[in-house]
Amino acid sequence: MKPLALATALILGGCASETPSTLPQGVTLVESSLTQSGLHIPYEKYQLANGLTVVLHPDNSDPLVHVDVTYHVGSAREQLGKSGFAHFFEHMMFQGSENVADEQHFAMVTESGGTLNGTTNSDRTNYFETVPANQLEKMLWLEADRMGFLLPAITETSFEVQRATVKNERGQRVDNRPYGRLGEMSSYALYPQGHPYSWPVIGWMEELDNGTVDDLRAFFKRWYGPNNATLTIGGSFDKQQVLQWVDKYFGSIPRGPEVNDATKPKVTLDSDRYLTIEDKVSLPVLSIAFPTVYARHEDEAALDLLSDILGGGETSIMYKNLVKSGVAVQAGTGHGCRELACEFSLFVVANAGKMPELSKIEAIVRDSIDEFVERGVSSDDLLKAQVSHEANTLFGLQSVRGKVSTLAYNETFFDTPDLLQADIERYNAVTADDVMRVYNTYIKDKASVIVSVVPQGQTQLQAAAPTVPVRTPIAKETLKHADKVTDTQVADNFDRSKVPGSGAAPQMVVPSLWQQQLANGIEVMGTQSLETPTTTISIALEGGQRLLSADKAGLADLTASMMQESTAKLTTEQMALELEKLGASISVSASGYRTYVSVSTLTKNLDATIELLRQRLFEPAFNQEDFDRVKVQSLQMLQHQSKDAGWLASTAWSRLLFGTDNSVGQPTSGTIESVSKLSLDDVKGFYKQQFHGGNASVILVSDLEQKAIAPKLSWLGDWKGDATPWPELKPMPKLAGNTLYLLDKPGAAQSVIRIGRRAMAFDATGEYFEAGLMNFPLGGAFNSRINLNLREDKGYTYGARSGFNGGPELGSFSAGGSVRADATAASITEFVNELSGFAESGMTAEELAFLQASITQSDALKFETPSQKARFLGQIQRYDLPTNYIEKQGKLIETLTLDELNQVAAKQLDLSQMIILVVGDKNSIEEPLKQLGYDVVSYKL
């Protein structure tokens, strides 16, 4: 089989216009790849006089643009003892600037119909927006204002609010999450003190507490100048106009201090370093990390392929020796590369019921590494790893955002925006000898960091006694704070305070779809997508867990897992190998009402992938050996999930709303009690019950036309069996208003809150749709009332929302979020005040205008990628919607009045029909909750 890059020439992008003959003064064309042939992302690279690099990627396939500003600063640029500043700035740069009021950045982008976010890692910080094409000038104005005019908006108040938000983020993502501290502690042990990767990106909280406003201002002045940034724009735009806007808004921003590339100190370990973390977990975890090279080092590709061979999926040695054998629930490897250093890591989630001792797990891991040496590298090993890399590269470029992100990353770190062909070639050039060489150089007989994560109080399960000293915080009194920083004046020849207008609204392009019916009545719906030479197939089977009684919860999910195991012709490992060699995936998953069979493949390998799909659908082996292993893994994962606050809240919420005697009130993964009782005969029986042609429907999204692809699935027309009727639902539980259910999670750093009730089933243009519109300003957007109150004003949470969730027969409404444990009672008060206030007074005329503009204009972003197209077609098919239902929704948005939406609010937000669920530390929060006046009921799963 020939690697893709050597067999196919592909240009990723729409029609590219010619380079403008005249450029704005101060803008210089550096290079252009618009006429380049082969596999590449077309771009032009410019530079402003102040050092700002500008990369333009024209793509007219959709009426949208994606804007990315990447600053070459991450946590690695922080000073020892002042960690977390780069991530802190990600938050601060959304809080307004000199000409953009507090909270208005999110509001403007959302009202423009766009999406936005920012991310920080060790090496860079980026901010990005995807908006309808007519909103581009406004986005450039917003990004320029926070690049050049942020300091006036940094106040003590905003500083403290965002410091609280960062702490809430850490609480939610690290401290209140199982294994949340594993990554930061592994890095702490791997890198010497003072190395830029030795502290976490989010920072040590005591160091964030030590920071001052002046420290933050000085950090901004040092690193956020235009000469340390890359502005990348992709999508549908007029190039000459864009360059004029870029020059207008960014050109006058003064150059910042010079920035040199950071050094790449080689990391070595004299001996193995052991570290143990006691955590609120059920399954012990072992992590082993070796220091290797750095990003784009000549050995990076070979190390990546070594990682794939050792632990990448079901064909790997790690899978065979640990997961297949049953001693682990999960096992794998990775080779994470950053600008300054890479880490070759191996991880194992132990099967606590069979081998919880991590010392024994470590021995098997090391034996597996030795086995790799004896086995060597086969041609299949190389082929599957190389084709997998190529396929993942292409699938990641199905959106303008994906292409822009790739260009921005490569330009920031390697001064070359498009490395697509070069990357494919360097991976395809790796030989078996290369893989063995890097193994001998970086892994064999080399020291590593071994981290054990064990349940609290069970240190006897650790791999070895810790040899890493406990981290000692840097003394606060030794830190030197920055002097007060003054802002730099910028001379403009226009009024920067004036918000740019919008161009003519782009025409929404709804995918043109085709439909046909197979011989047995299966409905097939498809559309063509020319972004990449790939095909997506989704086969939906009605029923899922809804077909089951409550005591069989988890059977649909277990059956789906079994259908990813052996077939009559191929073992699990053989099937995985064949798919990897094709750059394809076939996954089976279950939900409350459906089971999905999802296929992604390079179109050139579609026929071979379909043959494997046929086997997976019609010839599952259902071996007892596979079942025993999969069932144990399911039970162990349920044990693990029982320690996760989010899972506890979701499971309890479903039971409270829909009842424990209904399957819809149970988690689709089941419970330990229900799954323990399931047998292989149950799986075989459910397969016969659900996998009927009468339950199936098909969605196709491909670069092929209907006449080329539809015949390839004609064999599904022979699928026998009628639709399976759903059993009658048991009566729903009575929801007693003014009741608060408290589920104890001892020691929880945060509390998870849910407030709500049962609500309507899905509809596209009726009451459910109207309720979703009503909720948008209440809790559906970032700058909604609920989120601004609890996150931005009070600092109780990292994020709070409300919304309606509707399916084919049931629905619910809930408001909630994860909040600081000490703010649990106060947060409930704020949630209730917001809900009751909205029910009584409704939204304002300004909020109505905001939601109308936001939702209407966002339609331009709905149909870009194959997955978005598949979801659109799937909704039409599932709910038998007219193909123009989006137009009908648009007319409703335009015509619904304030009174009509406020009537919906009064009806749907009746607190007397709502219950409250809190998952948190009962000892610390129960008494404050009782003081709120609710009937507090202790609840157990």
Side-chain angles (χ1 to χ4, degrees), residues 682-920:
D682 290 323
V683 168
K684 292 176 179 178
F686 185 72
Y687 172 78
K688 292 179 181 179
Q689 182 182 13
Q690 179 167 36
F691 280 75
H692 296 176
N695 289 329
S697 56
V698 180
I699 296 295
L700 285 167
V701 181
S702 175
D703 59 317
L704 298 178
E705 295 179 343
Q706 177 185 4
K707 62 183 180 182
I709 194 170
K712 296 180 184 294
L713 291 179
S714 60
W715 52 276
L716 286 171
D718 299 327
W719 200 352
K720 306 300 183 184
D722 297 327
T724 308
W726 295 354
E728 186 175 348
L729 285 171
K730 301 288 179 62
M732 295 290 161
K734 179 177 175 58
L735 301 181
N738 204 49
T739 303
L740 189 155
Y741 297 90
L742 176 57
L743 195 161
D744 187 22
K745 188 177 187 298
Q750 291 195 319
S751 300
V752 180
I753 296 172
R754 298 278 179 92
I755 303 174
R757 65 180 186 84
R758 290 188 297 272
M760 309 81 65
F762 173 86
D763 68 61
T765 54
E767 188 174 11
Y768 175 83
F769 177 69
E770 293 176 1
L773 296 178
M774 174 273 294
N775 178 72
F776 190 75
L778 170 63
F782 178 89
N783 54 311
S784 64
R785 292 189 188 185
I786 287 175
N787 194 55
L788 290 185
N789 181 351
L790 277 90
R791 170 177 160 140
E792 301 300 319
D793 296 343
K794 303 296 191 306
Y796 293 161
T797 179
Y798 180 56
R801 296 287 192 275
S802 64
F804 291 85
N805 181 33
E809 63 177 349
L810 298 169
S812 64
F813 167 80
S814 69
S818 295
V819 304
R820 289 194 340 249
D822 64 345
T824 305
S827 296
I828 289 175
T829 297
E830 296 305 323
F831 274 116
V832 169
N833 288 343
E834 292 293 352
L835 292 172
S836 60
F838 207 85
E840 294 170 7
S841 304
M843 71 177 71
T844 65
E846 291 77 13
E847 288 174 325
L848 174 60
F850 174 76
L851 82 86
Q852 289 174 326
S854 303
I855 298 177
T856 301
Q857 294 189 96
S858 67
D859 286 344
L861 278 59
K862 285 182 177 178
F863 312 111
E864 181 191 8
T865 66
S867 59
Q868 287 177 309
K869 291 180 172 71
R871 283 195 296 271
F872 171 64
L873 268 60
Q875 196 164 55
I876 290 176
Q877 191 180 67
R878 183 178 193 181
Y879 294 104
D880 194 25
L881 301 176
T883 57
N884 67 340
Y885 84 92
I886 294 289
E887 296 177 22
K888 293 184 176 181
Q889 287 182 336
K891 291 179 181 176
L892 278 172
I893 293 169
E894 291 178 2
T895 57
L896 280 170
T897 66
L898 197 60
D899 286 342
E900 289 171 325
L901 288 173
N902 287 342
Q903 287 175 20
V904 174
K907 177 182 178 181
Q908 297 298 333
L909 302 179
D910 184 355
L911 281 164
S912 68
Q913 300 181 34
M914 296 187 191
I915 59 173
I916 302 172
L917 169 68
V918 178
V919 179

Side-chain angles (χ1 to χ4, degrees), residues 740 825-826 828-829 924-936:
L740 189 155
I828 289 175
T829 297
S924 63
I925 65 176
E926 183 176 27
E927 189 57 38
L929 291 176
K930 287 181 177 179
Q931 293 177 12
L932 295 177
Y934 297 104
D935 295 328
V936 178

Side-chain angles (χ1 to χ4, degrees), residues 303-486:
L303 282 160
D304 285 350
L305 298 190
L306 170 63
S307 169
D308 192 77
I309 295 165
L310 267 180
E314 295 165 335
T315 59
S316 68
I317 295 172
M318 290 274 286
Y319 179 86
K320 174 178 71 71
N321 292 347
L322 289 149
V323 181
K324 186 78 171 178
S325 68
V327 302
V329 177
Q330 291 180 10
T333 56
H335 185 234
C337 273
R338 291 181 277 178
E339 182 181 16
L340 308 182
C342 304
E343 303 164 22
F344 192 97
S345 59
L346 305 97
F347 75 93
V348 182
V349 181
N351 179 350
K354 189 169 185 179
M355 188 179 288
E357 303 91 349
L358 295 180
S359 57
K360 295 179 180 179
I361 295 290
E362 182 187 358
I364 297 175
V365 171
R366 296 195 183 276
D367 287 344
S368 299
I369 295 174
D370 293 340
E371 180 183 335
F372 161 75
V373 178
E374 296 173 9
R375 188 180 74 96
V377 180
S378 70
S379 57
D380 274 349
D381 285 335
L382 282 179
L383 179 61
K384 73 182 183 69
Q386 291 167 334
V387 173
S388 176
H389 172 76
E390 296 168 3
N392 289 338
T393 298
L394 282 184
F395 280 111
L397 298 170
Q398 293 182 326
S399 67
V400 171
R401 174 180 171 179
K403 288 174 278 190
V404 165
S405 297
T406 299
L407 293 169
Y409 170 81
N410 288 332
E411 173 57 31
T412 298
F413 296 113
F414 314 118
D415 298 321
T416 305
D418 180 27
L419 290 168
L420 209 59
Q421 186 70 39
D423 272 342
I424 295 291
E425 289 174 356
R426 72 182 174 116
Y427 279 85
N428 287 343
V430 174
T431 65
D433 287 342
D434 290 329
V435 176
M436 294 307 300
R437 175 180 55 78
V438 297
Y439 164 78
N440 289 322
T441 303
Y442 303 101
I443 308 300
K444 183 180 180 181
D445 300 326
K446 297 299 186 294
S448 61
V449 168
I450 303 98
V451 181
S452 302
V453 185
V454 299
Q456 285 184 323
Q458 298 186 41
T459 55
Q460 75 276 8
L461 300 179
Q462 65 191 2
T467 60
V468 179
V470 176
R471 188 183 78 86
T472 302
I474 294 174
K476 179 179 180 180
E477 56 271 15
T478 65
L479 299 178
K480 181 181 179 181
H481 294 295
D483 295 328
K484 187 172 182 63
V485 173
T486 57

Side-chain angles (χ1 to χ4, degrees), residues 124-429:
R124 64 99 187 101
T125 305
N126 72 337
Y127 303 90
F128 49 89
E129 301 90 10
T130 305
V131 293
N134 66 319
Q135 303 292 335
L136 176 55
E137 183 183 7
K138 190 180 298 180
M139 299 306 106
L140 296 176
W141 173 78
L142 281 169
E143 288 294 354
D145 210 64
R146 64 178 168 189
M147 177 186 285
F149 305 88
L150 182 75
L151 291 182
I154 299 179
T155 64
E156 286 283 357
T157 300
S158 64
F159 178 83
E160 291 302 335
V161 167
Q162 292 312 308
R163 178 147 56 187
T165 300
V166 171
K167 290 181 178 180
N168 285 321
E169 180 179 0
R170 181 182 172 89
Q172 182 174 326
R173 293 185 169 181
V174 179
D175 299 330
N176 211 37
R177 176 175 291 180
Y179 315 110
R181 298 177 60 226
L182 172 58
E184 67 184 23
M185 296 311 295
S186 179
S187 293
Y188 160 69
L190 182 63
Y191 297 102
Q193 185 179 34
H195 189 286
Y197 294 166
S198 63
W199 55 80
V201 173
I202 201 169
W204 304 119
M205 289 300 97
E206 77 276 2
E207 295 183 359
L208 198 63
D209 280 338
N210 293 340
T212 66
V213 171
D214 288 332
D215 288 335
L216 198 71
R217 287 168 169 265
F219 191 81
F220 175 79
K221 290 287 286 187
R222 175 65 186 91
W223 298 110
Y224 290 82
N227 52 307
N228 197 34
T230 297
L231 168 63
T232 309
I233 305 167
S236 180
F237 53 76
D238 178 275
K239 193 185 317 181
Q240 184 72 51
Q241 179 65 80
V242 167
L243 289 172
Q244 290 174 357
W245 286 337
V246 168
D247 183 55
K248 175 181 179 180
Y249 294 117
F250 291 89
S252 61
I253 299 174
R255 187 182 188 92
E258 293 306 310
V259 177
N260 298 318
D261 288 339
T263 58
K264 299 179 175 68
K266 183 175 177 57
V267 179
T268 57
L269 299 173
D270 296 331
S271 60
D272 287 335
R273 311 191 77 198
Y274 285 88
L275 184 67
T276 297
I277 302 171
E278 294 184 63
D279 200 356
K280 299 180 181 69
V281 297
S282 298
L283 306 182
V285 162
L286 181 76
S287 170
I288 303 176
F290 297 84
T292 58
V293 290
Y294 51 83
R296 289 197 71 80
H297 184 280
E298 60 183 6
D299 289 340
E300 179 191 13
L303 282 160
D304 285 350
L305 298 190
L306 170 63
S307 169
D308 192 77
I309 295 165
L310 267 180
E314 295 165 335
T315 59
S316 68
I317 295 172
M318 290 274 286
Y319 179 86
K320 174 178 71 71
N321 292 347
L322 289 149
V323 181
K324 186 78 171 178
S325 68
V327 302
V329 177
Q330 291 180 10
T333 56
H335 185 234
C337 273
R338 291 181 277 178
E339 182 181 16
L340 308 182
C342 304
E343 303 164 22
F344 192 97
S345 59
L346 305 97
F347 75 93
V348 182
V349 181
N351 179 350
K354 189 169 185 179
M355 188 179 288
E357 303 91 349
L358 295 180
S359 57
K360 295 179 180 179
I361 295 290
E362 182 187 358
I364 297 175
V365 171
R366 296 195 183 276
D367 287 344
S368 299
I369 295 174
D370 293 340
E371 180 183 335
F372 161 75
V373 178
E374 296 173 9
R375 188 180 74 96
V377 180
S378 70
S379 57
D380 274 349
D381 285 335
L382 282 179
L383 179 61
K384 73 182 183 69
Q386 291 167 334
V387 173
S388 176
H389 172 76
E390 296 168 3
N392 289 338
T393 298
L394 282 184
F395 280 111
L397 298 170
Q398 293 182 326
S399 67
V400 171
R401 174 180 171 179
K403 288 174 278 190
V404 165
S405 297
T406 299
L407 293 169
Y409 170 81
N410 288 332
E411 173 57 31
T412 298
F413 296 113
F414 314 118
D415 298 321
T416 305
D418 180 27
L419 290 168
L420 209 59
Q421 186 70 39
D423 272 342
I424 295 291
E425 289 174 356
R426 72 182 174 116
Y427 279 85
N428 287 343

Side-chain angles (χ1 to χ4, degrees), residues 570-584:
L570 297 172
T571 66
T572 301
E573 294 79 13
Q574 289 169 336
M575 172 67 83
L577 177 60
E578 293 306 310
L579 287 169
E580 288 170 341
K581 287 159 61 177
L582 297 171

